[in-house]
């Protein structure tokens, strides 16, 4: 089985309505205008789509942050690039990032929910999360760890229903299928105090499942530099990094009966 994992395109743009200057969107717009605009290249996302279409993996996974400020126009810009992949017969799985769930403005929430439906090829909606889908004998546990936070923080929270689905599926002794968790936020954090403004809360049980080998693999984004934290069998956590900033995505080969994984970084 082959999986291609990419994350964090961070498409951006100007403020799309005057209320953006009175909620958190002005932070994302300012960040894009003076920083991300010069660091993130959406042409690399186009190349990622071409690579996936050419290599035809069994599953493609995007772990969030399509946008910079969660605005409808930002979603539209990125989803247009991803349209060939979305319209293909390659299964596409997506969970939103904190920048996709940036504010509670109705038009932004609606755009995010439309993006989940689009990216999942109508397999599920945002309100269906968390859920399990099986492809080629592997269980994909799709959770949402993102929600609007305060002006200065990018916190994530693993809420009870999402944690409980992972625990229930990973402790199901009747299933021999490998368990792959899809989350925007990493489950492991080496510097929790230094990264206090950007970290996930509530993930200790997931870390325990990883330690006990009941959960095979976490696919995540949020951190823009890609990394692997895996054991000799390839079980652990894989962060794809930002596809548009670092030109990075990961191709994962899985030997399902043995629960073994190998990884190849794709440089775009």
């Amino acid at each position: 089985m082959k999986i291609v994992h990419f994350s964090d395109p961070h498409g951006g743009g100007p403020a799309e309505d005057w209320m953006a200057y009175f909620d958190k969107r002005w932070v994302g717009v300012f960040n894009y205008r003076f920083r991300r605009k010069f660091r993130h290249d959406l042409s690399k996302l186009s190349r990622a789509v071409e690579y996936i279409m050419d290599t035809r993996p069994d599953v493609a996974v995007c772990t969030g942050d399509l946008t910079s400020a969660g605005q409808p126009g930002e979603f539209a810009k990125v989803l247009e690039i991803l349209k060939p992949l979305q319209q293909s017969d390659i299964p596409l799985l997506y969970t939103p990032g904190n920048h996709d769930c940036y504010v509670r403005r109705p038009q932004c929430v609606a755009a995010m929910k439309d993006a989940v439906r689009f990216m999942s090829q109508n397999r599920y909606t945002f309100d269906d999360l968390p859920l399990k889908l099986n492809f080629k004998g592997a269980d994909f546990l799709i959770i949402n760890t993102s929600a609007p936070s305060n002006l200065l923080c990018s916190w994530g929270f693993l809420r009870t229903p999402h944690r409980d689905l992972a625990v229930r599926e990973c402790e199901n002794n009747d299933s021999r299928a490998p368990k792959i968790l899809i989350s925007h936020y990493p489950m492991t954090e080496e510097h929790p105090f230094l990264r206090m403004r950007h970290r996930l809360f509530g993930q200790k049980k997931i870390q325990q499942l990883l330690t006990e080998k009941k959960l095979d693999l976490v696919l995540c984004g949020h951190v823009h530099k890609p990394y692997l934290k895996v054991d000799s069998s390839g079980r652990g956590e894989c962060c794809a990094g930002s596809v548009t900033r670092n030109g990075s995505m990961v191709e994962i080969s899985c030997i399902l009966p043995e629960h073994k994984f190998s990884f190849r970084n794709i440089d775009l």
Side-chain angles (χ1 to χ4, degrees):
M1 180 184 189
K2 185 165 68 176
I3 303 167
V4 172
H5 173 210
F6 65 98
S7 196
D8 291 66
H10 280 294
E16 295 181 13
D17 62 77
W18 64 273
M19 286 298 294
Y21 297 102
F22 295 90
D23 61 32
K24 191 179 178 179
R25 280 178 290 168
W26 75 262
V27 177
V29 168
F30 183 89
N31 196 335
Y32 175 77
R33 175 65 180 82
F34 293 101
R35 191 162 69 104
R36 286 203 172 97
K37 182 177 180 180
F38 305 103
R39 296 183 178 183
H40 292 261
D41 180 0
L42 283 176
S43 71
K44 293 179 180 177
L45 181 61
S46 298
R47 294 203 291 274
V49 171
E50 292 172 3
Y51 179 89
I52 296 169
M53 296 291 288
D54 288 343
T55 58
R56 302 195 60 79
D58 296 295
V59 181
V61 174
C62 176
T63 47
D65 275 359
L66 298 178
T67 70
S68 290
Q71 300 183 104
E74 295 176 350
F75 279 109
K77 179 191 300 185
V78 176
L79 295 181
E80 183 63 28
I81 297 172
L82 290 165
K83 195 172 184 178
L85 177 57
Q86 189 270 345
Q87 292 181 339
S88 75
D89 59 356
I90 301 168
L92 177 60
L93 305 178
Y94 162 76
T95 190
N98 58 296
H99 283 267
D100 301 330
C101 300
Y102 213 53
V103 293
R104 293 183 173 86
R105 295 293 175 191
Q107 69 270 29
C108 296
V109 174
M112 179 274 294
K113 290 188 173 184
D114 287 344
V116 173
R117 185 180 296 106
F118 178 92
M119 289 288 288
S120 69
Q121 299 160 317
N122 294 308
R123 286 187 176 86
Y124 56 87
T125 69
F126 176 79
D127 295 324
D128 291 329
L129 300 178
L131 82 161
K132 177 187 77 172
L133 294 175
N134 186 283
F135 294 97
K136 300 286 186 177
D139 287 339
F140 291 83
L141 312 179
I142 309 165
I143 63 172
N144 173 44
T145 48
S146 301
S149 62
N150 66 47
L151 193 65
L152 299 177
C153 294
S154 302
W155 289 327
F157 297 91
L158 183 57
R159 290 174 170 80
T160 301
H162 299 259
R163 181 198 65 209
D164 287 353
L165 173 108
V167 171
R168 183 172 62 252
E169 294 298 333
C170 291
E171 293 185 342
N172 178 11
N173 294 325
D174 295 331
S175 174
R176 300 286 297 170
K179 304 295 188 296
I180 301 172
L181 186 74
I182 297 175
S183 165
H184 176 65
Y185 284 84
M187 294 293 133
T188 59
E189 179 57 74
E190 294 179 351
H191 307 287
F193 294 104
L194 292 177
R195 286 184 49 80
M196 183 62 70
R197 294 193 306 111
H198 305 282
R199 61 165 294 186
L200 176 70
F201 294 88
Q203 79 279 35
K204 287 186 177 180
K205 184 61 179 179
I206 305 302
Q207 293 173 340
Q208 182 182 339
L209 293 171
L210 281 169
T211 300
E212 295 172 349
K213 311 298 184 185
K214 294 178 180 178
L215 175 61
D216 292 281
L217 186 63
V218 174
L219 301 182
C220 63
H222 191 55
V223 177
H224 289 178
K225 185 177 180 180
Y227 66 77
L228 280 175
K229 298 176 182 178
V230 298
D231 62 16
S232 59
S233 66
R235 298 163 87 178
E237 184 167 86
C238 170
C239 176
S242 171
V243 65
T244 53
R245 179 171 182 180
N246 293 301
S248 62
M249 62 182 183
V250 182
E251 189 172 86
I252 305 163
S253 297
C254 316
I255 304 175
L256 298 184
E258 289 83 2
H259 292 232
K260 290 184 177 181
F261 304 84
S262 60
F263 305 85
R264 186 166 73 93
N265 290 325
I266 307 300
D267 185 1
L268 299 168

